[in-house]
Amino acid sequence: MDTHESHIPLIISVDDHTVEPAGVWQDRLPKKHLDAAPRIVRAPLKEMSFLGGRFKPVMGAPGDEGPVGDWWIYEDLRRPLTRLDTAVGYSRDEIRLEVITYEQMRPGSYDVERRLADMDVNHVQSAVCFPTFPRFCGQTFTEAGDRELALLCVRAYNDWMVEEWCGPAAGGRLIPLTLIPLWDAELAAQEVRRNAERGVRAVAFSEIPPHLGLPSVHTDAWDPFLAACAETGTVVAMHIGSSSRMPSTSADAPPAVGSTITFANCCFSMVDWLMSGKFEQFPGLKVMYAEGQIGWIPYILERADVVWEENRGWGGVADKVHRPPSETFPGHVYGCFFDDAFGLRNLDSIGVGNVLYETDYPHSDSTWPKSREVAEAQMGHLAPDVVERIVRGNAIDLLGLTADGLWRGPK
């Protein structure tokens, strides 16, 4: 572990990512499902685009010309590993939308021992990791045709996450984040409770479920799931893009447009939750927004309060939202950031207890291996106790970690 004296305590990152090893599902599912279960093949790329927030890769046939990469095959899905999945170790100018193989990525992307080593050089003690192939909240399995197999895939991923990725070799430094079968709230509640029994305190969810063809949080459809989360102290973690629709302005807008406004879905989602009445219905419920940054939060709270005060008579919320949204926010909503100097200058308007830090390893936006230096540059004006809460203390409280910042492991 890096022991360099620093204004920044050892970081607990609440938004990193794992690139799943090829055997996650092949090693865990019944033999009868293996031909249909997710598996890796090596194949050429025919064409690939990422415009208007839509990622469209086309796999070539064996023998075709084109760059060769490793592809996940699952039902009709053909999804390649790309440089954007794992960009750390490359200069910004070298990071392009291209297919890659496992051998062409940094081993810390998928190997526990190498991940811990990369965390050491980045002043990171512990990390929560979102998925790659399942997508940020398991949309891949939600879109599948065979729901029986999809449920087995969700459970297999969770078993791998808890038992291997966050298993004994991680020494409590990798904090589990599990998936649910989004298509069935009762099954989702069962999965939350199954994982809570083995010490899991975070579950992935979509920031805007209707974009996935699912009910909104304004209905009672999610109540079994939300009740399970509230009762077990499981935080609902929503990553940008977990609605499978990244913000954009047009079908031909370049990725730079969407990258600039990635926070927008988090913004819309937070308003949904604050106006849904779910925090009143489930007082123990907590949600967090991964990679959404925090600078936008003060104005949205201000605007939500104005609407609640002036328009609630006809705004459809008077019977379920009983106090100004800004008063509900502190006990229920957490913003996560890795590069937001503006938000840090306005911390008093957000709340020190509602801000979490992240490094986004191994994505192209990651601050690895200079997360400490970035934090020092942006937090140098803050008191040490405030910095401690942002980079680790709030995460310890929210995720039920030990006082030393480690996952407690299965009960």
Side-chain angles (χ1 to χ4, degrees):
M1 182 70 68
D2 184 354
T3 57
H4 172 75
E5 185 175 345
S6 174
H7 176 59
I8 305 298
L10 286 172
I11 295 165
I12 297 176
S13 174
V14 294
D15 172 30
D16 286 2
H17 300 265
T18 178
V19 177
E20 299 79 18
V24 167
W25 291 276
Q26 293 292 309
D27 293 346
R28 284 169 185 76
L29 294 178
K31 189 172 292 185
K32 67 177 182 178
H33 290 297
L34 295 185
D35 288 345
R39 58 205 180 276
I40 285 285
V41 301
R42 188 157 291 184
L45 172 72
K46 187 174 182 181
E47 59 183 84
M48 181 162 58
S49 65
F50 187 23
L51 290 172
R54 298 288 184 176
F55 176 47
K56 295 181 180 179
V58 179
M59 188 174 79
D64 284 355
E65 292 186 1
V68 172
D70 285 334
W71 295 68
W72 283 105
I73 308 297
Y74 173 50
E75 293 193 342
D76 295 331
L77 180 64
R78 304 291 183 267
R79 200 282 193 192
L81 299 179
T82 76
R83 177 58 62 209
L84 299 188
D85 293 328
T86 170
V88 291
Y90 288 77
S91 74
R92 299 289 183 186
D93 291 337
E94 293 176 315
I95 300 171
R96 295 180 175 84
L97 182 60
E98 59 184 354
V99 295
I100 60 170
T101 65
Y102 279 96
E103 290 80 8
Q104 292 171 310
M105 69 176 73
R106 193 169 183 88
S109 302
Y110 58 85
D111 180 84
V112 170
E113 183 178 355
R114 302 294 287 275
R115 172 61 66 93
L116 297 180
D118 279 352
M119 290 162 62
D120 286 344
V121 302
N122 198 33
H123 200 63
V124 172
Q125 178 187 28
S126 307
V128 175
C129 295
F130 283 82
T132 297
F133 171 69
R135 311 218 297 283
F136 294 142
C137 67
Q139 303 102 297
T140 295
F141 302 123
T142 303
E143 296 166 358
D146 185 340
R147 286 287 166 80
E148 177 188 1
L149 175 56
L151 179 59
L152 291 174
C153 286
V154 168
R155 289 175 173 164
Y157 177 87
N158 292 340
D159 291 345
W160 169 79
M161 168 62 61
V162 174
E163 298 166 8
E164 291 201 32
W165 185 250
C166 302
R173 297 180 60 191
L174 295 173
I175 304 162
L177 170 75
T178 50
L179 303 176
I180 55 169
L182 288 161
W183 59 90
D184 188 316
E186 293 285 355
L187 288 175
Q190 292 176 24
E191 191 63 13
V192 167
R193 290 192 167 94
R194 181 176 84 95
N195 292 309
E197 279 294 314
R198 44 187 184 173
V200 177
R201 290 294 177 268
V203 63
F205 191 63
S206 174
E207 80 259 271
I208 307 179
H211 285 347
L212 303 178
L214 299 169
S216 80
V217 297
H218 300 288
T219 71
D220 61 3
W222 296 107
D223 286 2
F225 164 66
L226 300 180
C229 291
E231 291 164 14
T232 60
T234 301
V235 63
V236 178
M238 294 171 283
H239 196 285
I240 58 167
S242 56
S243 62
S244 296
R245 190 183 301 178
M246 293 297 288
S248 190
T249 55
S250 64
D252 58 352
V257 172
S259 186
T260 302
I261 57 175
T262 50
F263 71 92
N265 281 352
C266 298
C267 171
F268 301 157
S269 175
M270 189 179 82
V271 175
D272 256 351
W273 282 96
L274 290 172
M275 297 297 189
S276 71
K278 295 304 177 184
F279 295 135
E280 286 89 341
Q281 186 178 352
F282 302 104
L285 185 63
K286 298 179 187 296
V287 305
M288 62 171 258
Y289 290 101
E291 208 172 323
Q293 313 305 334
I294 59 174
W296 51 273
I297 291 175
Y299 172 71
I300 295 302
L301 291 177
E302 177 183 292
R303 176 61 184 165
D305 280 0
V306 169
V307 170
W308 180 84
E309 183 65 39
E310 297 183 358
N311 301 338
R312 66 178 180 269
W314 59 267
V317 297
D319 60 336
K320 56 186 177 180
V321 181
H322 302 131
R323 55 180 177 155
S326 66
E327 294 182 12
T328 303
F329 171 87
H332 298 279
V333 183
Y334 296 80
C336 312
F337 77 100
F338 58 80
D339 185 5
D340 193 338
F342 180 83
L344 289 170
R345 290 197 302 271
N346 294 274
L347 200 55
D348 289 346
S349 298
I350 302 168
V352 173
N354 295 82
V355 173
L356 306 169
Y357 200 54
E358 57 187 38
T359 77
D360 200 29
Y361 179 107
H363 282 182
S364 59
D365 278 338
S366 178
T367 52
W368 185 93
K370 305 226 177 255
S371 298
R372 177 181 58 197
E373 289 85 346
V374 171
E376 287 175 336
Q378 294 193 346
M379 300 187 210
H381 65 293
L382 299 175
D385 64 317
V386 172
V387 175
E388 192 278 338
R389 289 190 68 182
I390 292 172
V391 303
R392 58 183 292 111
N394 291 336
I396 288 172
D397 293 342
L398 181 63
L399 299 170
L401 307 179
T402 69
D404 293 330
L406 300 174
W407 180 47
R408 299 176 186 275
K411 293 182 179 179

